[in-house]
Amino acid sequence: MRVEDLERDMTSVVPASQSRDSDFLFRNMTQLCLAACGDPRSKRILDVGSGFGQDAFALASKGAFSFGADPSVRMMNWARETYGSQVSWVQAWGEALPFADRTLDVVLCKGSLDHFKNPDAAIFEFTRVVKCEGRIVVAVANFESLSCRIARSVDLVLPRGRYGIRRPFEVPSDHFTRYDPELLLGQLSRHLSIEDIRGVSLGWGLELYSRWLARRSVRTSRIVLELADRLARRLPQLADVLVVTGRPRRSSMT
Ligand SMILES: C[S@@+](CC[C@H](N)C(=O)[O-])C[C@H]1O[C@@H](n2cnc3c(N)ncnc32)[C@H](O)[C@@H]1O
C-alpha cells in the first residue's frame, strides 16, 4: 500500500542561493511563468503545487485574487505563516482540485507536475477549473536538456564516481515523471491547445560550467548566462526548464 506523506517537507527541493547558474535559472523561470499568467489584476489565479507560496503571493501583490493549493500540510502552514491571508491557501491535490468548473482565469503549475502521482488527471483538472478563455501555465525540468545529454555522454566515458560531480540527468527520488519536451507536450495537448513553449537557461547542472561561471566577474557571468538563455528560448528542446502556455481544449471540457 502506498502511503502519502502529507507532512512532506519540500524545503530542500526548492534550492536557496547556490550558484550563479542556479540563481539565474530559478529567477528567470519564475519571471517567465509570472509573465505568462498575463496581467494579474482582478484575475482569479490558482497556483497548483504552490510549495512555499511565493508565486501565489507575488500574483496577489500585483492585484490578483490568488489561490495556492498544495497537499502538504507543512508547506501550507509555511505559506500561510509567511504570506498571510492575501492569498487563499487550500490544502489539495492537483488531481482533485476543490474548485467549481470554469471559475478561474489562470492555472499556474511551476516545478510541481513532475511530483504528481497522476499528472494526466491533474492536467484535466486544470482545464476543468479554468474558464474557456482562461490560460494554463506549466513549467517543468527538462531531462533531455543539453546538460543532461552532455553529462550522460561524459558518464559513458568516465565511470561513475571518477569525476565526482552531480549527474543532472538523474531524476530526483521525489519526482514521479521524467519530463522531456515530447512527453510534456504529448500529455498537455490531450487537454490543452498549446499556445507557446519556451526554454529557460542552458547548461544548468554541469558542475564544471558552474565553477567556471563562479570564477568570472559578475558582469561576464551574467552576459554568458543571458546569451545561453536566449539560445534556450529558441531551442527549448535543449533548455533546462520548459514553460508551456495553453488554453483548455473544448473537447476536454465536455
Ligand atoms: C518542487 S515544489 C514546487 C513549489 C512551487 N511551485 C515553486 O515553484 O516553488 C513541488 C510542490 O508540489 C507539491 N505536490 C506534490 N504532489 C502534488 C500533487 N499531486 N498535487 C499538488 N501538489 C503536489 C509538493 O508538496 C511541493 O510543494
Side-chain angles (χ1 to χ4, degrees), residues 44 46 56 66 69 97 99 122 127 142 145 194 197 205 232 235:
R44 287 165 60 84
L46 168 65
S66 183
L97 292 169
F99 290 87
T127 59
N142 174 16
S145 65
I194 307 291
I197 171 160
L235 300 169

Side-chain angles (χ1 to χ4, degrees):
M1 185 180 70
R2 207 188 124 75
V3 178
E4 299 291 352
D5 176 14
L6 294 181
E7 285 294 321
R8 74 174 83 184
D9 181 353
M10 304 297 281
T11 46
S12 60
V13 177
V14 185
S17 179
Q18 287 175 334
S19 60
R20 288 177 178 171
D21 50 326
S22 275
D23 290 349
F24 181 91
L25 169 67
F26 285 96
R27 191 175 54 242
N28 277 31
M29 169 173 58
T30 301
Q31 278 172 3
L32 198 59
C33 285
L34 295 181
C37 292
D39 181 356
R41 281 174 295 178
S42 305
K43 298 266 167 56
R44 287 165 60 84
I45 305 184
L46 168 65
D47 182 10
V48 185
S50 51
F52 288 111
Q54 74 285 354
D55 299 325
F57 179 72
L59 290 162
S61 307
K62 290 183 186 153
F65 298 104
S66 183
F67 302 87
D70 201 288
S72 162
V73 178
R74 189 186 292 246
M75 298 312 284
M76 274 287 93
N77 287 342
W78 180 300
R80 204 175 273 122
E81 276 165 28
T82 310
Y83 297 114
S85 57
Q86 209 174 325
V87 174
S88 299
W89 304 106
V90 186
Q91 194 212 343
W93 296 98
E95 292 89 339
L97 292 169
F99 290 87
D101 294 359
R102 302 179 203 177
T103 48
L104 299 168
D105 297 290
V106 182
V107 170
L108 167 66
C109 184
K110 167 177 154 264
S112 297
L113 194 66
D114 32 20
H115 296 262
F116 291 13
K117 194 162 70 172
N118 188 343
D120 193 59
I123 295 163
F124 174 78
E125 280 292 87
F126 302 168
T127 59
R128 179 185 68 75
V129 297
V130 93
K131 294 174 185 169
C132 297
E133 70 284 7
R135 189 178 289 177
I136 294 157
V137 180
V138 175
V140 291
N142 174 16
F143 283 90
E144 281 302 322
S145 65
L146 183 65
S147 305
C148 292
R149 293 173 196 215
I150 291 175
R152 258 200 312 266
S153 306
V154 172
D155 209 58
L156 289 176
V157 184
L158 294 176
R160 184 173 192 183
R162 280 279 305 280
Y163 56 107
I165 63 175
R166 197 177 85 77
R167 302 156 114 207
F169 56 88
E170 279 183 348
V171 181
S173 58
D174 53 12
H175 282 214
F176 271 103
T177 311
R178 176 197 179 282
Y179 276 109
D180 58 43
E182 197 184 336
L183 178 60
L184 181 65
L185 292 177
Q187 273 186 0
L188 289 175
S189 52
R190 261 179 244 148
H191 305 294
L192 305 188
S193 301
I194 307 291
E195 292 195 327
D196 192 30
I197 171 160
R198 293 200 185 194
V200 183
S201 153
L202 268 191
W204 184 72
L206 293 175
E207 208 166 304
L208 293 178
Y209 174 56
S210 186
R211 282 194 221 148
W212 180 86
L213 286 170
R215 290 198 297 269
R216 309 276 82 79
S217 69
V218 172
R219 186 166 176 273
T220 306
S221 62
R222 185 154 190 96
I223 291 170
V224 173
L225 287 164
E226 294 281 3
L227 287 175
D229 190 56
R230 268 194 223 167
L231 209 54
R233 298 281 159 106
R234 285 168 185 256
L235 300 169
Q237 65 275 22
L238 296 181
D240 298 318
V241 165
L242 304 163
V243 179
V244 180
T245 309
R247 296 193 188 271
R249 267 187 200 287
R250 209 165 291 214
S251 59
S252 154
M253 299 182 296
T254 48

